[in-house]
Amino acid sequence: MRSIDSDSPVDRRPVVFYGWIVIAVGFITLSVAFGIWYSYSVFFLSIVNEFGWDRALASSIFSIFLICHALTGFSIFLICHALTGLLTGYLQDRYGPRIVIPVGTCLLACALILTSRSNSLWHFYMTYSVLAGASVSLMGFTSHSAFLPNWFERKRGLAVGIATSGIGFGMLVIVPMVEKAIALFGWRNAYLFLAGMVLLIVGPLNAIFSRRSPAELNLQPDGDHKEMQTGRPHPFMIMKVVDVDWAKKDWTLREALQTRRFWFLVATFFCLSYAYQGTLLHSISAMVDSGSARQTAAAYFGLLGIAGSVGKILFGSLSDRFGRERSNTVGGIIAAIGIFCLLNTTTANSFLPLLFALLFGLGYGAAAPLMPSVSADIFIGKSFGLIFAMISIGSGAGGAL
């Protein structure tokens, strides 16, 4: 709801603003979390082959995963034998990432270990779909979107874009790694490897370095000082308020639910996830069906991930200068062209999978930084984590459908 003059005067800043450390930890956490998320597209074929299920049945495991991932942002998640806990967004608003994300890593490690021992469809539903879906919510996109925007205002799109580019990095590194691990050691041991990565890397990093907001370290967003040496209020940015009454509100979830802007964001999340998650889940299978080797398809998927990382940083930065809506529209058009390439892939058109990976990855990358950024532009406040978690239910519903 504000347009910001990036040329506003500022006084001294620290050499390294701590917000960039938080962004770096977020990059690593999202790399691992979404590397595990998208690695199901590799596990998918192994599970289908071992149990003899049809693809629609096996896809239902991931669909329920998406539903549980979304609902945990606004509902209850599993701990031990009972349904307990609070809303992920509420937990981030109240306790911050130093507690919420390490708890998520412990739960996810348990979920992956249990998944590695699964022998029937209902086992997968309980261990991967429900428990892993809930756990990824605590350490994934919705959880980070609840606190990362607090650290930046002028460079919000760029900063969130850098952190969420970790999603693509995880796709580039972890998905091919999982494909190799499955080929050498089997899919069950591959899940154990992922459990160790979550527990030994992601948990400790967040417990030590993550922070909820710059106020915890007596800092201001973007690393600016609150006051000049004269003692006068420091104009670290000049804001042109578009809607004064709207900007004055410290939004609660109940108030947000009564606005059209909130429901437009939910609908946007739904449509983007419907298109993007469906394409990502079935892209490897589609390329294999068109004649590509599984290893080649996995490599293209990794390339898609790195293109997505570029897209997240590029469109996040562009949105700070030219607006969230324009940047997202351009990204959607590029992604649609990529999907068209996948639809027309045959063994005779071997260049089309490459174009799909590059174009779809670049275009879909716009969604990850822009949706939390535009949501924060509108509803930033003490209850933003809870509000964004509710908005994200649209994403889970669209992806599951």
Side-chain angles (χ1 to χ4, degrees), residues 114-145:
L114 292 173
T115 301
S116 72
R117 306 272 75 88
S118 295
N119 289 305
S120 64
L121 185 62
W122 76 268
H123 289 164
F124 282 97
Y125 284 154
M126 294 302 297
T127 59
Y128 185 83
S129 301
V130 177
L131 183 54
S135 304
V136 170
S137 179
L138 293 177
M139 55 182 290
F141 179 74
T142 301
S143 188
H144 280 78
S145 297

mmCIF file of all heavy atoms in Angstrom, residues 114-145:
data_model
loop_
_atom_site.group_PDB
_atom_site.id
_atom_site.type_symbol
_atom_site.label_atom_id
_atom_site.label_comp_id
_atom_site.label_asym_id
_atom_site.label_seq_id
_atom_site.Cartn_x
_atom_site.Cartn_y
_atom_site.Cartn_z
ATOM 1 N N LEU A 114 9.960 -42.495 9.331
ATOM 2 C CA LEU A 114 8.774 -43.343 9.292
ATOM 3 C C LEU A 114 8.354 -43.654 7.857
ATOM 4 O O LEU A 114 7.917 -44.767 7.551
ATOM 5 C CB LEU A 114 7.628 -42.675 10.051
ATOM 6 C CG LEU A 114 7.819 -42.556 11.573
ATOM 7 C CD1 LEU A 114 6.705 -41.718 12.187
ATOM 8 C CD2 LEU A 114 7.873 -43.932 12.221
ATOM 9 N N THR A 115 8.490 -42.669 6.975
ATOM 10 C CA THR A 115 8.152 -42.899 5.559
ATOM 11 C C THR A 115 9.035 -43.978 4.956
ATOM 12 O O THR A 115 8.585 -44.791 4.131
ATOM 13 C CB THR A 115 8.296 -41.593 4.754
ATOM 14 O OG1 THR A 115 7.425 -40.597 5.301
ATOM 15 C CG2 THR A 115 7.933 -41.810 3.288
ATOM 16 N N SER A 116 10.289 -44.002 5.365
ATOM 17 C CA SER A 116 11.212 -45.000 4.824
ATOM 18 C C SER A 116 10.817 -46.427 5.209
ATOM 19 O O SER A 116 11.283 -47.393 4.601
ATOM 20 C CB SER A 116 12.642 -44.730 5.319
ATOM 21 O OG SER A 116 12.788 -45.051 6.691
ATOM 22 N N ARG A 117 9.960 -46.553 6.214
ATOM 23 C CA ARG A 117 9.512 -47.869 6.661
ATOM 24 C C ARG A 117 8.090 -48.197 6.188
ATOM 25 O O ARG A 117 7.523 -49.217 6.590
ATOM 26 C CB ARG A 117 9.554 -47.942 8.196
ATOM 27 C CG ARG A 117 10.910 -47.578 8.812
ATOM 28 C CD ARG A 117 11.822 -48.786 8.918
ATOM 29 N NE ARG A 117 12.388 -49.208 7.646
ATOM 30 C CZ ARG A 117 13.513 -48.741 7.130
ATOM 31 N NH1 ARG A 117 14.192 -47.815 7.740
ATOM 32 N NH2 ARG A 117 13.967 -49.200 5.970
ATOM 33 N N SER A 118 7.500 -47.336 5.373
ATOM 34 C CA SER A 118 6.112 -47.509 4.944
ATOM 35 C C SER A 118 5.966 -48.691 3.990
ATOM 36 O O SER A 118 6.825 -48.917 3.122
ATOM 37 C CB SER A 118 5.602 -46.236 4.273
ATOM 38 O OG SER A 118 5.559 -45.169 5.192
ATOM 39 N N ASN A 119 4.857 -49.428 4.132
ATOM 40 C CA ASN A 119 4.609 -50.596 3.290
ATOM 41 C C ASN A 119 3.212 -50.628 2.682
ATOM 42 O O ASN A 119 2.883 -51.563 1.964
ATOM 43 C CB ASN A 119 4.809 -51.885 4.108
ATOM 44 C CG ASN A 119 6.271 -52.120 4.438
ATOM 45 O OD1 ASN A 119 7.112 -52.155 3.548
ATOM 46 N ND2 ASN A 119 6.570 -52.250 5.717
ATOM 47 N N SER A 120 2.402 -49.615 2.965
ATOM 48 C CA SER A 120 1.063 -49.575 2.388
ATOM 49 C C SER A 120 0.666 -48.124 2.161
ATOM 50 O O SER A 120 1.324 -47.193 2.658
ATOM 51 C CB SER A 120 0.053 -50.252 3.324
ATOM 52 O OG SER A 120 -0.042 -49.548 4.540
ATOM 53 N N LEU A 121 -0.415 -47.932 1.420
ATOM 54 C CA LEU A 121 -0.830 -46.585 1.054
ATOM 55 C C LEU A 121 -1.165 -45.750 2.285
ATOM 56 O O LEU A 121 -0.785 -44.583 2.378
ATOM 57 C CB LEU A 121 -2.037 -46.655 0.112
ATOM 58 C CG LEU A 121 -2.528 -45.314 -0.454
ATOM 59 C CD1 LEU A 121 -1.455 -44.651 -1.294
ATOM 60 C CD2 LEU A 121 -3.804 -45.519 -1.270
ATOM 61 N N TRP A 122 -1.865 -46.355 3.258
ATOM 62 C CA TRP A 122 -2.243 -45.570 4.425
ATOM 63 C C TRP A 122 -1.029 -45.173 5.253
ATOM 64 O O TRP A 122 -1.031 -44.129 5.917
ATOM 65 C CB TRP A 122 -3.288 -46.306 5.275
ATOM 66 C CG TRP A 122 -2.778 -47.434 6.124
ATOM 67 C CD1 TRP A 122 -2.710 -48.740 5.799
ATOM 68 C CD2 TRP A 122 -2.275 -47.325 7.466
ATOM 69 N NE1 TRP A 122 -2.197 -49.479 6.835
ATOM 70 C CE2 TRP A 122 -1.931 -48.629 7.878
ATOM 71 C CE3 TRP A 122 -2.096 -46.260 8.348
ATOM 72 C CZ2 TRP A 122 -1.402 -48.886 9.140
ATOM 73 C CZ3 TRP A 122 -1.563 -46.524 9.607
ATOM 74 C CH2 TRP A 122 -1.221 -47.826 9.989
ATOM 75 N N HIS A 123 0.039 -45.998 5.214
ATOM 76 C CA HIS A 123 1.295 -45.598 5.866
ATOM 77 C C HIS A 123 1.831 -44.304 5.252
ATOM 78 O O HIS A 123 2.251 -43.393 5.971
ATOM 79 C CB HIS A 123 2.351 -46.702 5.716
ATOM 80 C CG HIS A 123 2.081 -47.907 6.535
ATOM 81 N ND1 HIS A 123 2.716 -49.115 6.305
ATOM 82 C CD2 HIS A 123 1.249 -48.126 7.581
ATOM 83 C CE1 HIS A 123 2.288 -50.010 7.178
ATOM 84 N NE2 HIS A 123 1.387 -49.437 7.962
ATOM 85 N N PHE A 124 1.845 -44.230 3.919
ATOM 86 C CA PHE A 124 2.321 -43.021 3.242
ATOM 87 C C PHE A 124 1.437 -41.823 3.574
ATOM 88 O O PHE A 124 1.938 -40.706 3.743
ATOM 89 C CB PHE A 124 2.366 -43.241 1.731
ATOM 90 C CG PHE A 124 3.552 -44.025 1.260
ATOM 91 C CD1 PHE A 124 3.459 -45.389 1.033
ATOM 92 C CD2 PHE A 124 4.774 -43.404 1.045
ATOM 93 C CE1 PHE A 124 4.556 -46.117 0.600
ATOM 94 C CE2 PHE A 124 5.876 -44.122 0.618
ATOM 95 C CZ PHE A 124 5.767 -45.482 0.385
ATOM 96 N N TYR A 125 0.128 -42.054 3.631
ATOM 97 C CA TYR A 125 -0.770 -40.961 3.976
ATOM 98 C C TYR A 125 -0.439 -40.378 5.349
ATOM 99 O O TYR A 125 -0.405 -39.154 5.533
ATOM 100 C CB TYR A 125 -2.222 -41.449 3.976
ATOM 101 C CG TYR A 125 -2.830 -41.635 2.603
ATOM 102 C CD1 TYR A 125 -3.878 -42.534 2.411
ATOM 103 C CD2 TYR A 125 -2.374 -40.916 1.504
ATOM 104 C CE1 TYR A 125 -4.446 -42.707 1.162
ATOM 105 C CE2 TYR A 125 -2.931 -41.082 0.249
ATOM 106 C CZ TYR A 125 -3.972 -41.982 0.079
ATOM 107 O OH TYR A 125 -4.534 -42.151 -1.158
ATOM 108 N N MET A 126 -0.176 -41.243 6.327
ATOM 109 C CA MET A 126 0.062 -40.781 7.693
ATOM 110 C C MET A 126 1.456 -40.175 7.861
ATOM 111 O O MET A 126 1.614 -39.131 8.489
ATOM 112 C CB MET A 126 -0.127 -41.941 8.677
ATOM 113 C CG MET A 126 -1.562 -42.464 8.763
ATOM 114 S SD MET A 126 -2.735 -41.169 9.248
ATOM 115 C CE MET A 126 -2.137 -40.765 10.885
ATOM 116 N N THR A 127 2.477 -40.851 7.309
ATOM 117 C CA THR A 127 3.845 -40.417 7.560
ATOM 118 C C THR A 127 4.280 -39.272 6.647
ATOM 119 O O THR A 127 4.783 -38.241 7.122
ATOM 120 C CB THR A 127 4.823 -41.589 7.398
ATOM 121 O OG1 THR A 127 4.729 -42.115 6.062
ATOM 122 C CG2 THR A 127 4.500 -42.688 8.389
ATOM 123 N N TYR A 128 4.100 -39.450 5.333
ATOM 124 C CA TYR A 128 4.553 -38.414 4.400
ATOM 125 C C TYR A 128 3.494 -37.334 4.214
ATOM 126 O O TYR A 128 3.769 -36.138 4.385
ATOM 127 C CB TYR A 128 4.907 -39.025 3.039
ATOM 128 C CG TYR A 128 5.491 -38.006 2.078
ATOM 129 C CD1 TYR A 128 6.842 -37.676 2.132
ATOM 130 C CD2 TYR A 128 4.696 -37.360 1.139
ATOM 131 C CE1 TYR A 128 7.385 -36.732 1.280
ATOM 132 C CE2 TYR A 128 5.227 -36.414 0.280
ATOM 133 C CZ TYR A 128 6.561 -36.109 0.347
ATOM 134 O OH TYR A 128 7.085 -35.157 -0.490
ATOM 135 N N SER A 129 2.261 -37.740 3.886
ATOM 136 C CA SER A 129 1.237 -36.745 3.569
ATOM 137 C C SER A 129 0.902 -35.864 4.763
ATOM 138 O O SER A 129 0.889 -34.634 4.651
ATOM 139 C CB SER A 129 -0.028 -37.443 3.075
ATOM 140 O OG SER A 129 0.228 -38.215 1.922
ATOM 141 N N VAL A 130 0.632 -36.484 5.921
ATOM 142 C CA VAL A 130 0.162 -35.717 7.069
ATOM 143 C C VAL A 130 1.327 -35.165 7.884
ATOM 144 O O VAL A 130 1.469 -33.948 8.050
ATOM 145 C CB VAL A 130 -0.753 -36.587 7.953
ATOM 146 C CG1 VAL A 130 -1.179 -35.812 9.197
ATOM 147 C CG2 VAL A 130 -1.989 -37.012 7.167
ATOM 148 N N LEU A 131 2.190 -36.044 8.396
ATOM 149 C CA LEU A 131 3.239 -35.588 9.305
ATOM 150 C C LEU A 131 4.295 -34.755 8.591
ATOM 151 O O LEU A 131 4.687 -33.685 9.069
ATOM 152 C CB LEU A 131 3.887 -36.790 10.000
ATOM 153 C CG LEU A 131 4.956 -36.467 11.052
ATOM 154 C CD1 LEU A 131 4.409 -35.503 12.100
ATOM 155 C CD2 LEU A 131 5.450 -37.745 11.720
ATOM 156 N N ALA A 132 4.769 -35.216 7.426
ATOM 157 C CA ALA A 132 5.766 -34.425 6.690
ATOM 158 C C ALA A 132 5.158 -33.130 6.169
ATOM 159 O O ALA A 132 5.803 -32.080 6.178
ATOM 160 C CB ALA A 132 6.344 -35.244 5.537
ATOM 161 N N GLY A 133 3.902 -33.192 5.701
ATOM 162 C CA GLY A 133 3.250 -31.979 5.227
ATOM 163 C C GLY A 133 3.138 -30.933 6.313
ATOM 164 O O GLY A 133 3.390 -29.741 6.093
ATOM 165 N N ALA A 134 2.775 -31.358 7.523
ATOM 166 C CA ALA A 134 2.692 -30.438 8.649
ATOM 167 C C ALA A 134 4.072 -29.894 9.018
ATOM 168 O O ALA A 134 4.235 -28.714 9.317
ATOM 169 C CB ALA A 134 2.061 -31.138 9.848
ATOM 170 N N SER A 135 5.080 -30.756 8.987
ATOM 171 C CA SER A 135 6.428 -30.356 9.390
ATOM 172 C C SER A 135 7.025 -29.342 8.430
ATOM 173 O O SER A 135 7.662 -28.358 8.853
ATOM 174 C CB SER A 135 7.331 -31.591 9.470
ATOM 175 O OG SER A 135 6.793 -32.559 10.339
ATOM 176 N N VAL A 136 6.847 -29.563 7.133
ATOM 177 C CA VAL A 136 7.383 -28.625 6.142
ATOM 178 C C VAL A 136 6.723 -27.258 6.293
ATOM 179 O O VAL A 136 7.345 -26.224 6.045
ATOM 180 C CB VAL A 136 7.206 -29.178 4.716
ATOM 181 C CG1 VAL A 136 7.526 -28.121 3.665
ATOM 182 C CG2 VAL A 136 8.115 -30.386 4.507
ATOM 183 N N SER A 137 5.469 -27.234 6.727
ATOM 184 C CA SER A 137 4.810 -25.958 6.967
ATOM 185 C C SER A 137 5.544 -25.154 8.036
ATOM 186 O O SER A 137 5.663 -23.929 7.939
ATOM 187 C CB SER A 137 3.359 -26.183 7.397
ATOM 188 O OG SER A 137 2.721 -24.966 7.661
ATOM 189 N N LEU A 138 6.071 -25.833 9.066
ATOM 190 C CA LEU A 138 6.774 -25.139 10.142
ATOM 191 C C LEU A 138 8.116 -24.587 9.704
ATOM 192 O O LEU A 138 8.619 -23.631 10.313
ATOM 193 C CB LEU A 138 6.975 -26.097 11.329
ATOM 194 C CG LEU A 138 5.709 -26.545 12.059
ATOM 195 C CD1 LEU A 138 6.062 -27.535 13.152
ATOM 196 C CD2 LEU A 138 4.980 -25.355 12.639
ATOM 197 N N MET A 139 8.733 -25.164 8.674
ATOM 198 C CA MET A 139 10.058 -24.709 8.255
ATOM 199 C C MET A 139 10.090 -24.250 6.808
ATOM 200 O O MET A 139 11.166 -23.961 6.280
ATOM 201 C CB MET A 139 11.073 -25.836 8.437
ATOM 202 C CG MET A 139 10.712 -27.121 7.733
ATOM 203 S SD MET A 139 11.888 -28.464 8.015
ATOM 204 C CE MET A 139 13.312 -27.877 7.099
ATOM 205 N N GLY A 140 8.938 -24.146 6.169
ATOM 206 C CA GLY A 140 8.894 -23.874 4.745
ATOM 207 C C GLY A 140 8.494 -22.461 4.384
ATOM 208 O O GLY A 140 8.737 -21.495 5.118
ATOM 209 N N PHE A 141 7.828 -22.355 3.252
ATOM 210 C CA PHE A 141 7.528 -21.068 2.631
ATOM 211 C C PHE A 141 6.638 -20.194 3.506
ATOM 212 O O PHE A 141 6.938 -19.031 3.754
ATOM 213 C CB PHE A 141 6.871 -21.323 1.268
ATOM 214 C CG PHE A 141 6.489 -20.081 0.529
ATOM 215 C CD1 PHE A 141 7.456 -19.290 -0.069
ATOM 216 C CD2 PHE A 141 5.157 -19.710 0.421
ATOM 217 C CE1 PHE A 141 7.101 -18.139 -0.755
ATOM 218 C CE2 PHE A 141 4.800 -18.573 -0.272
ATOM 219 C CZ PHE A 141 5.768 -17.782 -0.863
ATOM 220 N N THR A 142 5.527 -20.752 3.993
ATOM 221 C CA THR A 142 4.598 -19.962 4.802
ATOM 222 C C THR A 142 5.263 -19.485 6.081
ATOM 223 O O THR A 142 5.086 -18.333 6.504
ATOM 224 C CB THR A 142 3.352 -20.793 5.144
ATOM 225 O OG1 THR A 142 2.708 -21.201 3.932
ATOM 226 C CG2 THR A 142 2.365 -19.990 5.974
ATOM 227 N N SER A 143 6.034 -20.347 6.697
ATOM 228 C CA SER A 143 6.713 -19.998 7.938
ATOM 229 C C SER A 143 7.702 -18.856 7.726
ATOM 230 O O SER A 143 7.746 -17.893 8.495
ATOM 231 C CB SER A 143 7.439 -21.230 8.491
ATOM 232 O OG SER A 143 7.950 -20.980 9.780
ATOM 233 N N HIS A 144 8.507 -18.931 6.666
ATOM 234 C CA HIS A 144 9.470 -17.867 6.385
ATOM 235 C C HIS A 144 8.794 -16.572 5.963
ATOM 236 O O HIS A 144 9.267 -15.478 6.280
ATOM 237 C CB HIS A 144 10.455 -18.325 5.307
ATOM 238 C CG HIS A 144 11.543 -19.207 5.826
ATOM 239 N ND1 HIS A 144 11.354 -20.540 6.115
ATOM 240 C CD2 HIS A 144 12.841 -18.938 6.126
ATOM 241 C CE1 HIS A 144 12.487 -21.056 6.567
ATOM 242 N NE2 HIS A 144 13.405 -20.103 6.583
ATOM 243 N N SER A 145 7.688 -16.705 5.235
ATOM 244 C CA SER A 145 6.978 -15.505 4.795
ATOM 245 C C SER A 145 6.391 -14.729 5.953
ATOM 246 O O SER A 145 6.065 -13.550 5.813
ATOM 247 C CB SER A 145 5.861 -15.894 3.816
ATOM 248 O OG SER A 145 6.398 -16.479 2.646
#
